[in-house]
Amino acid sequence: MKIDHLAMWVTDLEKMKSFYQQYFQVTSGEKYFNPKKNFESYFLSFENGCRLEIMKMPGIPTSENDIYRQFTGLIHFAISTGSKQTVDVLTEQLRADGYEVVGEPRTTGDGYYESVILDPEGNRIEITE
């Protein structure tokens, strides 16, 4: 078994699609639109086949989670870059472009080399080796 995709509600579908395309080289599928529900989504595909579905629909409440604290439920997802150097370069590029780095590049106690950034809507992304 494997994870086929993760999904998240977003407020700015096009901005989020552009962010993941620019920094994580995802390929976007065609926009899906359901007029009855006013639901829109994109599937963003990573090179290895895993996908991220970003979705937008009126009436979805804003998350009340504090992005700086830990809560139960999904707290982050990790994107593997293939090298420590790429983690460092990508982290610095995101910082320079105004995105918040909430975890500096480091080797964790469980052996991962990673940084943690917030995407445009405050979702935590671990950028790993």
Side-chain angles (χ1 to χ4, degrees):
M1 293 186 207
K2 69 175 186 171
I3 293 176
D4 178 73
H5 73 274
L6 301 171
M8 72 173 127
W9 291 111
V10 302
T11 57
D12 189 330
L13 196 63
E14 299 303 324
K15 182 177 184 177
M16 292 292 278
K17 179 181 87 160
S18 294
F19 172 82
Y20 285 95
Q21 286 176 316
Q22 179 177 350
Y23 296 104
F24 298 103
Q25 293 81 47
V26 298
T27 303
S28 177
E30 294 294 316
K31 181 189 255 185
Y32 170 74
F33 179 66
N34 179 327
K36 284 185 176 182
K37 295 182 179 183
N38 202 16
F39 171 84
E40 305 172 73
S41 71
Y42 285 107
F43 273 98
L44 308 177
S45 298
F46 292 87
E47 187 176 276
N48 70 351
C50 188
R51 298 178 299 161
L52 176 63
E53 182 180 13
I54 53 174
M55 309 173 301
K56 179 180 177 181
M57 186 170 70
I60 300 299
T62 302
S63 173
E64 295 181 14
N65 285 341
D66 179 327
I67 59 175
Y68 301 104
R69 297 178 59 204
Q70 303 291 317
F71 293 89
T72 57
L74 184 65
I75 193 64
H76 72 263
F77 59 93
I79 299 175
S80 176
T81 64
S83 75
K84 289 180 180 181
Q85 180 182 7
T86 304
V87 171
D88 294 341
V89 169
L90 184 54
T91 301
E92 290 311 313
Q93 181 63 57
L94 285 156
R95 185 191 323 269
D97 291 347
Y99 296 99
E100 187 171 355
V101 176
V102 294
E104 294 296 331
R106 67 187 181 99
T107 301
T108 64
D110 54 358
Y112 282 94
Y113 187 77
E114 67 182 40
S115 68
V116 182
I117 61 101
L118 300 178
D119 76 8
E121 295 194 4
N123 299 295
R124 287 175 177 253
I125 303 169
E126 283 185 0
I127 303 171
T128 67
E129 178 179 2

